[in-house]
Structures are given as structure tokens and as C-alpha cells.
Amino acid sequence: MPLHITYIQGGMKEFSETGVYPRRLTVHDVDVNKTWRRKITEKNCKGDFKMGNIILYSYHIEIEDDIVTIFDSKGKRVKDFTMDHIMCD
């Protein structure tokens, strides 16, 4: 499985300082040995993962339902991945 996705929700320290419940997305591609990290907000709930100037993957997160969708460079939904959903205090 080339992709390992980790979606992290939580962090009381950041919530107490900002009033925003933090979310983070980490995607690791084993084939190219690259890891991308994104802090997820309502404005930043979709974007691209690049290597150089080449887009390898795009992501879209439905914040209300916590649904993470990853697309390859051709726009097809990636189905071959493992995913961890972590809730923190």
C-alpha cells in the first residue's frame, strides 16, 4: 500500500489558546518516500500534495463529517491506502 494517511483531531492546548479545535492531515507515500503535513481549517480543507512542481495527489476533507478523500494526479480517487484517525485531548 503506497499511501499511509493519518488524520488527527484534538489538542486542548491549541483549543484553549485559539478557540479552534485543531485538525491535522499527514500523508506518507512509500513509493516516493515523501511525507506531507497540513493543518486543516475550513479555508484549508482541500489542496494539493506536490513533489517539486508536480502534483502527485489532491485532498478534500469534509470537516463536518471528518471524511478524508485523496485523489491521484489524474483526478481518480485513491483506494489503496491505510488510514489512522486519531482523537487527542
Side-chain angles (χ1 to χ4, degrees):
M1 293 191 186
L3 288 184
H4 181 78
I5 302 168
T6 305
Y7 185 59
I8 301 171
Q9 291 179 272
M12 291 304 291
K13 181 179 179 188
E14 185 173 341
F15 179 75
S16 65
E17 293 174 0
T18 65
V20 177
Y21 196 63
R23 293 174 168 87
R24 291 177 180 77
L25 177 68
T26 303
V27 175
H28 179 73
D29 186 332
V30 176
D31 291 340
V32 296
N33 195 27
K34 173 86 173 153
T35 300
W36 297 271
R37 293 175 181 83
R38 298 289 187 273
K39 184 174 181 180
I40 303 302
T41 63
E42 287 185 16
K43 294 179 183 178
N44 186 24
C45 62
K46 59 183 172 181
D48 300 322
F49 297 123
K50 297 180 180 181
M51 188 164 221
N53 290 330
I54 301 170
I55 297 173
L56 296 182
Y57 302 101
S58 297
Y59 67 92
H60 181 266
I61 298 174
E62 295 178 33
I63 292 179
E64 296 292 322
D65 299 322
D66 294 320
I67 297 173
V68 178
T69 308
I70 305 290
F71 302 95
D72 66 13
S73 60
K74 297 175 185 174
K76 292 186 178 182
R77 186 174 177 198
V78 174
K79 297 179 183 177
D80 188 19
F81 62 88
T82 59
M83 183 165 172
D84 295 323
H85 190 139
I86 301 170
M87 301 286 286
C88 301
D89 287 334

